[in-house]
Amino acid sequence: MPKVFVVYLSTSGNTKAMAEAIAQGVSSRNVDVDVMNFHEAKIKDVAAADAIAIGSSTFHYKMLPPLEKFINDLGKAGVKGKTGAAFGSYGWSGEAPVIIADKMREMGIKVIDPVLRIQYQPTDKDLEECKRLGKDIANKVKG
Ligand SMILES: Cc1cc2nc3c(=O)[nH]c(=O)nc-3n(C[C@H](O)[C@H](O)[C@H](O)COP(=O)(O)O)c2cc1C
């Protein structure tokens, strides 16, 4: 059975809300999904999933260093050929999800479009877009 892992960094809950909506979209397609803060996630569990979605809000025009380290460690665990997605809430520039998508591609992950960026707190319409992305991820891993 295919498995999707959604991990995120979120300081005030905005990217977390996106992550949970993406996970809802995945499970609505009857695909198994775990969603958690990256601090709680084990590299080996994330690396074992068929698809990996990584979300982060943007701080000082990039992601925070602990998440960057987590993604680098994930790359070393071997994720080539897997499906991926990048997302995140932002305030004014929103670089983090773009940087995440670039890092995923460097590791050989096939990143689904769009890299989903939402300004500040997601609206109901934004959350629908997140669910749509989750459904797309599920459809990819189902083949
Ligand atoms: C100290 C600080 C620095 C920030 N730097 C940026 C930035 O460089 N670019 C940007 O787009 N947003 C920036 N933001 C805004 C956050 O990305 C935004 O508030 C986001 O919605 C937070 O989402 P979260 O609750 O998932 O952490 C910054 C916020 C704080 C508190």
Side-chain angles (χ1 to χ4, degrees):
M1 177 152 173
K3 170 74 177 259
V4 177
F5 220 114
V6 183
V7 287
Y8 60 86
L9 177 154
S10 183
T11 58
S12 65
N14 295 337
T15 304
K16 181 183 182 190
M18 293 179 72
E20 285 170 352
I22 290 167
Q24 271 180 33
V26 173
S27 56
S28 75
R29 288 284 186 267
N30 298 314
V31 170
D32 197 15
V33 60
D34 270 336
V35 53
M36 66 182 78
N37 187 302
F38 82 100
H39 279 304
E40 294 161 10
K42 290 201 178 70
I43 294 283
K44 73 166 175 38
D45 294 340
V46 180
D50 302 280
I52 302 164
I54 303 177
S56 176
S57 40
T58 298
F59 295 93
H60 306 294
Y61 310 104
K62 52 189 185 192
M63 76 182 102
L64 290 174
L67 180 63
E68 191 162 14
K69 181 182 183 303
F70 181 88
I71 296 172
N72 290 341
D73 290 347
L74 195 59
K76 287 175 205 151
V79 288
K80 201 167 178 216
K82 291 183 192 274
T83 296
F87 63 96
S89 169
Y90 70 101
W92 49 91
S93 57
E95 287 85 352
V98 177
I99 297 168
I100 290 170
D102 285 344
K103 285 181 86 73
M104 289 175 122
R105 288 189 199 99
E106 279 168 25
M107 293 170 188
I109 293 177
K110 291 169 282 181
V111 180
I112 294 180
D113 285 328
V115 171
L116 193 52
R117 300 187 300 168
I118 302 293
Q119 206 169 12
Y120 293 117
Q121 193 178 355
T123 62
D124 287 349
K125 189 168 165 279
D126 295 331
L127 293 174
E128 285 306 315
E129 251 189 276
C130 294
K131 283 184 201 164
R132 176 76 255 163
L133 178 61
K135 288 174 187 174
D136 287 348
I137 297 168
N139 291 341
K140 275 265 159 44
V141 298
K142 278 173 141 182

